[in-house]
Amino acid sequence: MRIDANGLHYRELNKRIREAARKGTSRFELVGVNGQRYIADGLEGEVEIHIHGTPGQDLGAFMKGPRVWVYGNAQDGVGNTMDAGKIVVHGMAGDVVGYGMRGGRIHILGDVGYRVGIHMKSYQDKLPVIVIGGKAGDFLGEYMAGGCIVLLGMYGTDPPERPLAGHYLGTGMHGGIIYLRGEIEPYRLGKGLAFEPLDENDRSFLELIIKEFAEDFGKDASEILEEPFTKVKPATHRPYGSMYAY
Amino acid sequence: MLFKPIHQSYGDFSIERDPQRCIGCQVCLRQCSYGVHQYNDRLCELTQDESRCVGCHRCEALCPTGALTIRRTPSDFRENALWEPTYIKNIYKQAATGGVLLTGMGNPAPYPIYWDRMLLDASQVTNPSIDPLREPMELKTFLGCRPDALEVEYDGGVPRLKTRFTPQLELDYPLLFSAMSYGSINLNVHKGLARAAEACGILYNTGEGGLHPSLYTYGKNTIVQVASGRFGVHADYLRAGAAVEIKIGQGAKPGIGGHLPGEKIGREISLTRMIPEGSDAISPAPHHDIYSIEDLRQLIYALKEATDYEKPVFVKIAAVHNSAAIASGMVRAGADVICLDGFRGGTGAAPTMIRNNVGIPVELALASVDDRLRQEGIRNQASIVVAGGIRCSADVVKAIALGADAVYIGTAALIAVGCTLCQRCYTGKCPWGIATNDPYLAKRVHPDIAAEKLTNLVKAWGHEIQEMLGGMGINALESLRGNRDKLRAVGLHPAEMEVLGIKPAGG
């Protein structure tokens, strides 16, 4: 189904998508998208959405299953509290990508803003993954409880002198893992965190993730993998375990 | 006497065991989860370690021969109006552990209780009072956004409402059970709350712990909560309830998040929170996607979109100094119901300093929020629900006269199922089987009995509310909402009366 979103309020646009999806439409082509919020919000099932333009805030929030391609940039809150599915952004994304995300994948080709991947968590067979082709702002992976963030720093538009990630990376992290292509100054890490080299398991896991990312954007996986990666994982699974007097 | 480190030396309670009555049955030993009672096999007698006693009275209540009496310990420090024993003992504890003091339930400190400084009116001579036993008395309460005006159209001469309402909740009593998560309390208590809510035509609130699969059937009596950790939040969960509540803050601990320790995340809790067993459940202090009123609007509408605009969205904040301005923003952001949680509100765990020193009384916050929304002409756009230390039906009536649409009860509901306010919920060892998920303790609460007690409480309060309304010559709760002329102040400063918007008694 093709919808021309030009001039459509988000409420009308999303209602059309929801109603059509309920009736069994499984593929949507949205053109002329210009800031409409909440596309695919709470949407479930085997649905494909191709977005041409710039979708607004909270793209794919609470989403459970659909796959979304954005041919342009995305704004804040991509995949907020997302449960399952996939979002591929052929451009940049704003702040709070994947907040509280429990499952699914988010692939961003370019740079992302602040507070990306805060409080991601994994559960049973759900393992959320965010791959960022560019650089990231402050608080990447804060309070991370599970899942995986991969930061490449390759395909963004940020000036080369800007560091790979901002300050407070992984603060309060108590689960999950962050892979960085290259390094950042240790003082940018959250308290108690340290860089570690990858082991065999990390490498095979990372290869799978990178392969899928490269396929999505027509990039060469071996070029991405030829630089050394480091990983950041929680110093403890109980960061506040000894804080209280019982 | 057994040697103990200084921070364990001075217990708060002493246990009197009457040797004439004690039959050595050891019920006390089995009932106490804090290990106070011990049985000496050699001497065949029961002894006690009083320093461990939390004053929950479980052993006293269950002793079959009435042999036990729990009292405040008669031993005390020398009188000192400044250095009360609590401060001394807390310092011993912190000097020994280096930890943040933890506590449970609401603020117990002797701050003013404004409910007790307001009196209700009654009809005499000039207007007749109403007897609710012989005349109808409406307690039905609707929560949600009301339109600015009503449009009526005529269909063949028959008037019909043209205005379409946004979703409304219909309650048979102006009461809801406050958010208490599965984790902080157990499934038996949750089942009791859900069944009582269904029986009474009211709602209970999941808190930030997800919704257990066995409770989906009570959906139309359920408010599902979305808090900063987003535990157990997914599309089905959002659609399972009658309403969605965004928890920004909590009266017992305004401005801070929560840490449910990993040892409390067992298999079932892991299932509803949707996090692995044994991992800490950390709720950040703010929602990191909400740093402004505009961001709040974004989440409110994200939830409305995810639920097809079929559920009202509640936003709950702790009552703080500038609640009125925040509430105005919340209403403009699209909240259908705003909830104010006063500083007396309970909790399963909070740092003692926060609980005892942060926030403001809900009476004052309610009065100022209701005023502000009226001044701005937006009071119709959201209902107000207040929480935090509602102890009896008179508190409910006073809250409604001050401007509330309904009240949340949490502590009162727990007391109904046996809580004695010992304030040790954070230990997870609640001997009354409420704030614990230890199966041995949790089975002390039977869901059906809990539901029956909660239903009794709601119905009893309902009768009392009807009596008070009737006495004022009012036959529907709606006529009391924001009717502050029905309240008079005793013993309050003019500045406090101004905030409350009430006259002095006799005036």
Side-chain angles (χ1 to χ4, degrees), chain A residues 10 37-38 57-58 62 80 96 115, chain B residues 226-227 230 244-249 286-305 313-317 323 325-339:
Chain A
Y10 70 75
R37 296 179 168 194
Y38 315 120
Q57 317 272 61
D58 277 343
F62 310 110
N80 190 346
V96 262
R115 316 196 299 273
Chain B
V226 174
R230 305 287 156 89
V244 182
E245 179 175 271
I246 300 172
K247 177 199 172 182
I248 300 292
H287 290 246
H288 282 289
D289 52 355
I290 304 178
Y291 283 11
S292 65
I293 291 291
E294 292 77 8
D295 288 350
L296 174 64
R297 181 179 179 84
Q298 191 177 314
L299 184 61
I300 289 173
Y301 277 88
L303 292 168
K304 288 187 179 188
E305 282 278 332
V313 174
F314 289 42
V315 180
K316 175 179 171 181
I317 56 162
S323 292
I326 299 163
S328 163
M330 285 154 65
V331 175
R332 290 168 197 283
D336 299 294
V337 178
I338 58 174
C339 308

Short mmCIF file of all heavy atoms in Angstrom, two decimals, chain A residues 10 37-38 57-58 62 80 96 115, chain B residues 226-227 230 244-249 286-305 313-317 323 325-339:
data_model
loop_
_atom_site.label_atom_id
_atom_site.label_comp_id
_atom_site.label_asym_id
_atom_site.label_seq_id
_atom_site.Cartn_x
_atom_site.Cartn_y
_atom_site.Cartn_z
N TYR A 10 -0.11 13.20 11.77
CA TYR A 10 0.34 11.85 12.13
C TYR A 10 -0.80 10.95 12.55
O TYR A 10 -0.78 9.74 12.32
CB TYR A 10 1.42 11.91 13.22
CG TYR A 10 0.99 12.33 14.60
CD1 TYR A 10 0.27 11.47 15.42
CD2 TYR A 10 1.34 13.59 15.12
CE1 TYR A 10 -0.11 11.84 16.70
CE2 TYR A 10 0.96 13.96 16.39
CZ TYR A 10 0.24 13.09 17.18
OH TYR A 10 -0.14 13.46 18.44
N ARG A 37 4.95 11.92 13.58
CA ARG A 37 5.40 11.13 14.73
C ARG A 37 4.75 9.75 14.77
O ARG A 37 3.74 9.53 14.14
CB ARG A 37 5.02 11.86 16.02
CG ARG A 37 5.73 13.18 16.18
CD ARG A 37 5.31 13.87 17.46
NE ARG A 37 6.21 14.99 17.71
CZ ARG A 37 6.30 15.62 18.86
NH1 ARG A 37 5.54 15.29 19.86
NH2 ARG A 37 7.15 16.62 19.00
N TYR A 38 5.33 8.93 15.62
CA TYR A 38 4.73 7.64 16.04
C TYR A 38 4.43 6.66 14.91
O TYR A 38 3.53 5.83 15.05
CB TYR A 38 3.43 7.88 16.83
CG TYR A 38 3.52 8.96 17.87
CD1 TYR A 38 2.69 10.07 17.82
CD2 TYR A 38 4.45 8.88 18.91
CE1 TYR A 38 2.76 11.07 18.77
CE2 TYR A 38 4.53 9.88 19.86
CZ TYR A 38 3.68 10.98 19.79
OH TYR A 38 3.76 11.96 20.73
N GLN A 57 9.28 12.03 15.74
CA GLN A 57 9.70 11.41 17.01
C GLN A 57 9.02 10.05 17.22
O GLN A 57 7.94 9.80 16.72
CB GLN A 57 9.29 12.31 18.18
CG GLN A 57 9.55 13.78 17.98
CD GLN A 57 10.93 14.20 18.39
OE1 GLN A 57 11.90 13.72 17.83
NE2 GLN A 57 11.03 15.10 19.33
N ASP A 58 9.68 9.23 18.06
CA ASP A 58 9.12 7.95 18.50
C ASP A 58 8.73 7.01 17.35
O ASP A 58 7.70 6.34 17.42
CB ASP A 58 7.92 8.17 19.44
CG ASP A 58 8.36 8.41 20.88
OD1 ASP A 58 9.51 8.11 21.20
OD2 ASP A 58 7.54 8.91 21.67
N PHE A 62 7.24 1.06 21.14
CA PHE A 62 6.44 -0.10 21.58
C PHE A 62 6.17 -1.11 20.46
O PHE A 62 5.27 -1.92 20.53
CB PHE A 62 5.09 0.34 22.19
CG PHE A 62 5.20 1.41 23.22
CD1 PHE A 62 4.76 2.71 22.98
CD2 PHE A 62 5.78 1.13 24.46
CE1 PHE A 62 4.88 3.70 23.94
CE2 PHE A 62 5.90 2.13 25.43
CZ PHE A 62 5.45 3.41 25.15
N ASN A 80 11.69 3.44 20.74
CA ASN A 80 11.47 3.63 22.17
C ASN A 80 10.71 2.43 22.75
O ASN A 80 9.64 2.09 22.27
CB ASN A 80 10.67 4.93 22.35
CG ASN A 80 10.58 5.37 23.80
OD1 ASN A 80 10.87 4.61 24.71
ND2 ASN A 80 10.16 6.61 23.99
N VAL A 96 17.92 9.64 22.33
CA VAL A 96 17.19 8.50 22.91
C VAL A 96 16.74 7.43 21.91
O VAL A 96 15.58 7.06 21.88
CB VAL A 96 15.96 8.93 23.78
CG1 VAL A 96 16.30 8.94 25.24
CG2 VAL A 96 15.35 10.22 23.37
N ARG A 115 22.06 10.00 24.79
CA ARG A 115 21.23 9.05 25.56
C ARG A 115 20.70 7.91 24.69
O ARG A 115 19.56 7.51 24.80
CB ARG A 115 20.06 9.78 26.23
CG ARG A 115 20.43 11.09 26.88
CD ARG A 115 19.40 11.60 27.83
NE ARG A 115 18.09 11.88 27.30
CZ ARG A 115 17.70 13.02 26.75
NH1 ARG A 115 18.56 14.02 26.65
NH2 ARG A 115 16.47 13.17 26.32
N VAL B 226 3.51 2.73 33.34
CA VAL B 226 4.74 2.84 32.56
C VAL B 226 5.67 3.76 33.35
O VAL B 226 5.37 4.93 33.54
CB VAL B 226 4.46 3.45 31.17
CG1 VAL B 226 5.75 3.71 30.41
CG2 VAL B 226 3.55 2.54 30.36
N ALA B 227 6.75 3.20 33.86
CA ALA B 227 7.69 4.03 34.62
C ALA B 227 9.04 4.02 33.93
O ALA B 227 9.18 3.48 32.83
CB ALA B 227 7.78 3.55 36.06
N ARG B 230 10.67 0.90 32.38
CA ARG B 230 9.87 0.26 31.31
C ARG B 230 9.80 -1.26 31.48
O ARG B 230 9.74 -1.99 30.49
CB ARG B 230 10.45 0.61 29.93
CG ARG B 230 10.57 2.08 29.66
CD ARG B 230 9.21 2.72 29.41
NE ARG B 230 9.21 4.14 29.70
CZ ARG B 230 9.49 5.10 28.85
NH1 ARG B 230 9.79 4.78 27.60
NH2 ARG B 230 9.47 6.35 29.20
N VAL B 244 -3.70 3.72 31.12
CA VAL B 244 -2.25 3.64 31.22
C VAL B 244 -1.78 4.78 32.10
O VAL B 244 -2.23 5.92 31.93
CB VAL B 244 -1.57 3.75 29.84
CG1 VAL B 244 -0.06 3.62 29.96
CG2 VAL B 244 -2.12 2.72 28.88
N GLU B 245 -0.90 4.49 33.06
CA GLU B 245 -0.38 5.56 33.92
C GLU B 245 1.11 5.74 33.69
O GLU B 245 1.87 4.77 33.78
CB GLU B 245 -0.63 5.24 35.39
CG GLU B 245 -0.08 6.30 36.34
CD GLU B 245 -0.44 6.03 37.80
OE1 GLU B 245 -1.50 6.50 38.23
OE2 GLU B 245 0.33 5.34 38.49
N ILE B 246 1.52 6.97 33.41
CA ILE B 246 2.95 7.29 33.35
C ILE B 246 3.36 7.72 34.74
O ILE B 246 2.82 8.68 35.27
CB ILE B 246 3.22 8.43 32.35
CG1 ILE B 246 2.77 8.06 30.94
CG2 ILE B 246 4.71 8.81 32.36
CD1 ILE B 246 2.84 9.21 29.95
N LYS B 247 4.27 6.97 35.34
CA LYS B 247 4.72 7.36 36.67
C LYS B 247 5.95 8.23 36.54
O LYS B 247 7.01 7.78 36.12
CB LYS B 247 5.07 6.14 37.51
CG LYS B 247 5.62 6.52 38.87
CD LYS B 247 6.37 5.38 39.51
CE LYS B 247 7.07 5.87 40.77
NZ LYS B 247 7.85 4.79 41.38
N ILE B 248 5.80 9.50 36.88
CA ILE B 248 6.95 10.39 36.90
C ILE B 248 7.58 10.33 38.28
O ILE B 248 8.80 10.25 38.41
CB ILE B 248 6.53 11.84 36.57
CG1 ILE B 248 5.89 11.93 35.18
CG2 ILE B 248 7.70 12.81 36.74
CD1 ILE B 248 6.83 11.69 34.04
N GLY B 249 6.75 10.39 39.30
CA GLY B 249 7.30 10.39 40.65
C GLY B 249 6.37 9.77 41.64
O GLY B 249 5.22 9.45 41.33
N PRO B 286 14.79 9.88 36.41
CA PRO B 286 13.81 10.40 35.45
C PRO B 286 13.57 9.37 34.34
O PRO B 286 14.35 8.43 34.19
CB PRO B 286 14.51 11.62 34.85
CG PRO B 286 15.95 11.25 34.87
CD PRO B 286 16.16 10.26 36.00
N HIS B 287 12.51 9.58 33.57
CA HIS B 287 12.40 8.86 32.30
C HIS B 287 13.40 9.56 31.40
O HIS B 287 13.34 10.78 31.25
CB HIS B 287 11.00 9.08 31.69
CG HIS B 287 9.90 8.41 32.42
ND1 HIS B 287 9.17 7.40 31.87
CD2 HIS B 287 9.38 8.62 33.64
CE1 HIS B 287 8.24 7.01 32.73
NE2 HIS B 287 8.34 7.74 33.81
N HIS B 288 14.30 8.81 30.78
CA HIS B 288 15.31 9.52 29.99
C HIS B 288 14.79 9.94 28.61
O HIS B 288 15.52 10.49 27.81
CB HIS B 288 16.59 8.71 29.91
CG HIS B 288 17.39 8.84 31.17
ND1 HIS B 288 18.03 10.01 31.51
CD2 HIS B 288 17.60 8.00 32.20
CE1 HIS B 288 18.62 9.86 32.69
NE2 HIS B 288 18.37 8.65 33.12
N ASP B 289 13.50 9.67 28.34
CA ASP B 289 12.91 10.28 27.16
C ASP B 289 11.99 11.44 27.55
O ASP B 289 11.26 11.96 26.72
CB ASP B 289 12.17 9.23 26.29
CG ASP B 289 11.18 8.40 27.08
OD1 ASP B 289 11.11 8.55 28.32
OD2 ASP B 289 10.47 7.59 26.46
N ILE B 290 11.99 11.81 28.84
CA ILE B 290 11.18 12.96 29.27
C ILE B 290 12.04 13.94 30.05
O ILE B 290 12.36 13.70 31.21
CB ILE B 290 9.99 12.52 30.16
CG1 ILE B 290 9.13 11.48 29.44
CG2 ILE B 290 9.14 13.74 30.54
CD1 ILE B 290 7.97 10.98 30.27
N TYR B 291 12.42 15.02 29.39
CA TYR B 291 13.18 16.07 30.08
C TYR B 291 12.38 17.38 30.08
O TYR B 291 12.88 18.41 30.48
CB TYR B 291 14.53 16.29 29.39
CG TYR B 291 15.60 15.23 29.71
CD1 TYR B 291 15.28 14.05 30.37
CD2 TYR B 291 16.93 15.44 29.36
CE1 TYR B 291 16.24 13.10 30.66
CE2 TYR B 291 17.91 14.49 29.65
CZ TYR B 291 17.55 13.32 30.30
OH TYR B 291 18.52 12.38 30.58
N SER B 292 11.15 17.35 29.57
CA SER B 292 10.38 18.59 29.48
C SER B 292 8.90 18.24 29.34
O SER B 292 8.55 17.07 29.13
CB SER B 292 10.81 19.38 28.24
OG SER B 292 10.47 18.64 27.07
N ILE B 293 8.05 19.26 29.45
CA ILE B 293 6.61 19.05 29.23
C ILE B 293 6.36 18.57 27.80
O ILE B 293 5.52 17.70 27.56
CB ILE B 293 5.83 20.36 29.52
CG1 ILE B 293 5.87 20.70 31.01
CG2 ILE B 293 4.39 20.27 29.01
CD1 ILE B 293 5.09 19.78 31.93
N GLU B 294 7.13 19.10 26.84
CA GLU B 294 6.97 18.67 25.45
C GLU B 294 7.29 17.18 25.29
O GLU B 294 6.62 16.46 24.56
CB GLU B 294 7.87 19.50 24.52
CG GLU B 294 7.48 20.96 24.38
CD GLU B 294 7.89 21.81 25.58
OE1 GLU B 294 8.61 21.32 26.48
OE2 GLU B 294 7.45 22.98 25.63
N ASP B 295 8.34 16.74 26.02
CA ASP B 295 8.69 15.32 25.98
C ASP B 295 7.60 14.47 26.62
O ASP B 295 7.32 13.36 26.18
CB ASP B 295 10.01 15.06 26.71
CG ASP B 295 11.23 15.57 25.96
OD1 ASP B 295 11.07 15.96 24.78
OD2 ASP B 295 12.33 15.58 26.54
N LEU B 296 7.00 15.02 27.70
CA LEU B 296 5.91 14.28 28.35
C LEU B 296 4.76 14.11 27.37
O LEU B 296 4.18 13.03 27.24
CB LEU B 296 5.43 15.03 29.60
CG LEU B 296 4.20 14.44 30.29
CD1 LEU B 296 4.49 13.04 30.83
CD2 LEU B 296 3.71 15.33 31.42
N ARG B 297 4.46 15.18 26.65
CA ARG B 297 3.40 15.11 25.64
C ARG B 297 3.72 14.01 24.62
O ARG B 297 2.86 13.26 24.20
CB ARG B 297 3.27 16.47 24.94
CG ARG B 297 2.16 16.48 23.89
CD ARG B 297 2.03 17.86 23.23
NE ARG B 297 0.98 17.84 22.23
CZ ARG B 297 -0.30 18.02 22.50
NH1 ARG B 297 -0.69 18.23 23.74
NH2 ARG B 297 -1.20 17.97 21.54
N GLN B 298 5.01 13.94 24.26
CA GLN B 298 5.41 12.93 23.28
C GLN B 298 5.11 11.52 23.78
O GLN B 298 4.58 10.70 23.04
CB GLN B 298 6.90 13.09 23.01
CG GLN B 298 7.39 12.28 21.83
CD GLN B 298 8.86 12.53 21.57
OE1 GLN B 298 9.31 13.67 21.57
NE2 GLN B 298 9.60 11.47 21.37
N LEU B 299 5.41 11.24 25.05
CA LEU B 299 5.15 9.89 25.57
C LEU B 299 3.64 9.66 25.75
O LEU B 299 3.14 8.57 25.46
CB LEU B 299 5.89 9.64 26.89
CG LEU B 299 5.72 8.22 27.43
CD1 LEU B 299 6.27 7.17 26.46
CD2 LEU B 299 6.38 8.04 28.79
N ILE B 300 2.93 10.68 26.21
CA ILE B 300 1.47 10.54 26.37
C ILE B 300 0.86 10.13 25.03
O ILE B 300 0.07 9.17 24.95
CB ILE B 300 0.83 11.85 26.88
CG1 ILE B 300 1.21 12.11 28.34
CG2 ILE B 300 -0.70 11.80 26.73
CD1 ILE B 300 0.77 13.46 28.87
N TYR B 301 1.24 10.83 23.97
CA TYR B 301 0.64 10.51 22.66
C TYR B 301 1.21 9.23 22.06
O TYR B 301 0.51 8.55 21.31
CB TYR B 301 0.71 11.73 21.73
CG TYR B 301 -0.45 12.65 22.04
CD1 TYR B 301 -0.35 13.63 23.01
CD2 TYR B 301 -1.69 12.47 21.44
CE1 TYR B 301 -1.42 14.43 23.36
CE2 TYR B 301 -2.77 13.25 21.76
CZ TYR B 301 -2.64 14.24 22.73
OH TYR B 301 -3.73 15.00 23.07
N ALA B 302 2.45 8.87 22.42
CA ALA B 302 2.98 7.57 21.97
C ALA B 302 2.11 6.47 22.56
O ALA B 302 1.80 5.48 21.89
CB ALA B 302 4.43 7.40 22.39
N LEU B 303 1.70 6.65 23.82
CA LEU B 303 0.86 5.64 24.48
C LEU B 303 -0.55 5.65 23.91
O LEU B 303 -1.18 4.61 23.74
CB LEU B 303 0.84 5.87 25.99
CG LEU B 303 2.18 5.60 26.70
CD1 LEU B 303 2.17 6.14 28.12
CD2 LEU B 303 2.51 4.12 26.69
N LYS B 304 -1.06 6.84 23.61
CA LYS B 304 -2.41 6.92 23.02
C LYS B 304 -2.43 6.27 21.63
O LYS B 304 -3.37 5.56 21.28
CB LYS B 304 -2.88 8.38 22.95
CG LYS B 304 -3.21 8.95 24.32
CD LYS B 304 -3.83 10.33 24.25
CE LYS B 304 -4.16 10.80 25.66
NZ LYS B 304 -4.92 12.04 25.70
N GLU B 305 -1.37 6.52 20.87
CA GLU B 305 -1.28 5.90 19.54
C GLU B 305 -1.21 4.37 19.68
O GLU B 305 -1.88 3.65 18.95
CB GLU B 305 -0.02 6.39 18.81
CG GLU B 305 -0.16 7.78 18.20
CD GLU B 305 -0.87 7.77 16.85
OE1 GLU B 305 -0.79 6.75 16.14
OE2 GLU B 305 -1.50 8.78 16.51
N VAL B 313 -4.98 8.34 29.61
CA VAL B 313 -3.60 8.29 30.11
C VAL B 313 -3.51 9.11 31.40
O VAL B 313 -3.88 10.28 31.43
CB VAL B 313 -2.60 8.79 29.05
CG1 VAL B 313 -1.19 8.86 29.62
CG2 VAL B 313 -2.62 7.87 27.82
N PHE B 314 -3.05 8.46 32.45
CA PHE B 314 -2.81 9.11 33.73
C PHE B 314 -1.35 9.55 33.76
O PHE B 314 -0.50 8.87 33.21
CB PHE B 314 -2.97 8.13 34.90
CG PHE B 314 -4.37 7.66 35.22
CD1 PHE B 314 -5.28 7.30 34.24
CD2 PHE B 314 -4.76 7.55 36.56
CE1 PHE B 314 -6.55 6.84 34.57
CE2 PHE B 314 -6.03 7.09 36.89
CZ PHE B 314 -6.93 6.74 35.91
N VAL B 315 -1.07 10.66 34.43
CA VAL B 315 0.32 11.00 34.72
C VAL B 315 0.41 11.26 36.22
O VAL B 315 -0.35 12.06 36.76
CB VAL B 315 0.81 12.24 33.94
CG1 VAL B 315 2.26 12.55 34.29
CG2 VAL B 315 0.68 12.01 32.43
N LYS B 316 1.30 10.54 36.87
CA LYS B 316 1.41 10.66 38.33
C LYS B 316 2.70 11.35 38.71
O LYS B 316 3.78 10.97 38.26
CB LYS B 316 1.38 9.26 38.95
CG LYS B 316 1.60 9.23 40.45
CD LYS B 316 1.53 7.80 40.94
CE LYS B 316 1.96 7.68 42.38
NZ LYS B 316 1.91 6.29 42.84
N ILE B 317 2.57 12.39 39.55
CA ILE B 317 3.78 13.05 40.07
C ILE B 317 3.73 13.07 41.59
O ILE B 317 2.66 12.97 42.19
CB ILE B 317 3.92 14.52 39.57
CG1 ILE B 317 2.68 15.35 39.94
CG2 ILE B 317 4.19 14.58 38.09
CD1 ILE B 317 2.91 16.85 39.88
N SER B 323 4.03 22.06 42.16
CA SER B 323 3.10 21.11 41.54
C SER B 323 2.08 21.80 40.63
O SER B 323 1.70 21.25 39.60
CB SER B 323 2.33 20.32 42.60
OG SER B 323 3.20 19.47 43.29
N ALA B 325 2.21 24.50 38.73
CA ALA B 325 2.71 24.84 37.39
C ALA B 325 2.96 23.57 36.58
O ALA B 325 2.65 23.51 35.38
CB ALA B 325 4.00 25.65 37.50
N ILE B 326 3.48 22.52 37.25
CA ILE B 326 3.74 21.26 36.56
C ILE B 326 2.43 20.64 36.09
O ILE B 326 2.31 20.17 34.96
CB ILE B 326 4.49 20.27 37.49
CG1 ILE B 326 5.84 20.85 37.91
CG2 ILE B 326 4.68 18.92 36.81
CD1 ILE B 326 6.43 20.16 39.12
N ALA B 327 1.43 20.69 36.98
CA ALA B 327 0.13 20.10 36.65
C ALA B 327 -0.49 20.79 35.45
O ALA B 327 -1.07 20.14 34.57
CB ALA B 327 -0.80 20.17 37.85
N SER B 328 -0.33 22.09 35.38
CA SER B 328 -0.85 22.83 34.22
C SER B 328 -0.20 22.30 32.95
O SER B 328 -0.86 22.05 31.94
CB SER B 328 -0.58 24.32 34.41
OG SER B 328 -0.70 24.99 33.18
N GLY B 329 1.12 22.09 33.03
CA GLY B 329 1.84 21.54 31.88
C GLY B 329 1.38 20.14 31.54
O GLY B 329 1.23 19.78 30.37
N MET B 330 1.12 19.34 32.57
CA MET B 330 0.69 17.96 32.34
C MET B 330 -0.66 17.93 31.61
O MET B 330 -0.85 17.12 30.69
CB MET B 330 0.55 17.23 33.68
CG MET B 330 1.88 16.85 34.32
SD MET B 330 1.77 16.69 36.12
CE MET B 330 0.68 15.30 36.32
N VAL B 331 -1.56 18.81 32.03
CA VAL B 331 -2.87 18.84 31.38
C VAL B 331 -2.72 19.29 29.93
O VAL B 331 -3.27 18.69 29.00
CB VAL B 331 -3.84 19.78 32.13
CG1 VAL B 331 -5.16 19.91 31.38
CG2 VAL B 331 -4.08 19.26 33.55
N ARG B 332 -1.89 20.31 29.73
CA ARG B 332 -1.68 20.81 28.36
C ARG B 332 -0.94 19.78 27.50
O ARG B 332 -1.04 19.78 26.28
CB ARG B 332 -0.92 22.13 28.39
CG ARG B 332 -1.79 23.26 28.93
CD ARG B 332 -1.00 24.50 29.26
NE ARG B 332 -1.78 25.37 30.13
CZ ARG B 332 -2.77 26.14 29.71
NH1 ARG B 332 -3.09 26.17 28.44
NH2 ARG B 332 -3.43 26.89 30.56
N ALA B 333 -0.19 18.89 28.17
CA ALA B 333 0.52 17.84 27.43
C ALA B 333 -0.41 16.71 27.01
O ALA B 333 0.00 15.83 26.28
CB ALA B 333 1.66 17.29 28.28
N GLY B 334 -1.64 16.73 27.53
CA GLY B 334 -2.59 15.73 27.07
C GLY B 334 -2.95 14.66 28.09
O GLY B 334 -3.62 13.69 27.76
N ALA B 335 -2.52 14.84 29.37
CA ALA B 335 -2.89 13.86 30.40
C ALA B 335 -4.40 13.94 30.61
O ALA B 335 -4.97 15.02 30.72
CB ALA B 335 -2.16 14.16 31.70
N ASP B 336 -5.06 12.78 30.67
CA ASP B 336 -6.50 12.75 30.93
C ASP B 336 -6.79 12.78 32.42
O ASP B 336 -7.84 13.22 32.85
CB ASP B 336 -7.11 11.49 30.33
CG ASP B 336 -6.91 11.43 28.82
OD1 ASP B 336 -7.49 12.28 28.14
OD2 ASP B 336 -6.15 10.57 28.35
N VAL B 337 -5.85 12.23 33.18
CA VAL B 337 -5.99 12.20 34.63
C VAL B 337 -4.63 12.56 35.21
O VAL B 337 -3.61 12.02 34.78
CB VAL B 337 -6.40 10.80 35.13
CG1 VAL B 337 -6.51 10.78 36.65
CG2 VAL B 337 -7.72 10.35 34.50
N ILE B 338 -4.62 13.50 36.17
CA ILE B 338 -3.34 13.77 36.82
C ILE B 338 -3.41 13.28 38.26
O ILE B 338 -4.42 13.44 38.93
CB ILE B 338 -2.91 15.24 36.72
CG1 ILE B 338 -3.94 16.16 37.33
CG2 ILE B 338 -2.68 15.66 35.29
CD1 ILE B 338 -3.46 17.59 37.36
N CYS B 339 -2.35 12.64 38.69
CA CYS B 339 -2.32 12.05 40.02
C CYS B 339 -1.26 12.76 40.84
O CYS B 339 -0.13 12.94 40.38
CB CYS B 339 -1.98 10.57 39.95
SG CYS B 339 -3.02 9.70 38.80
#
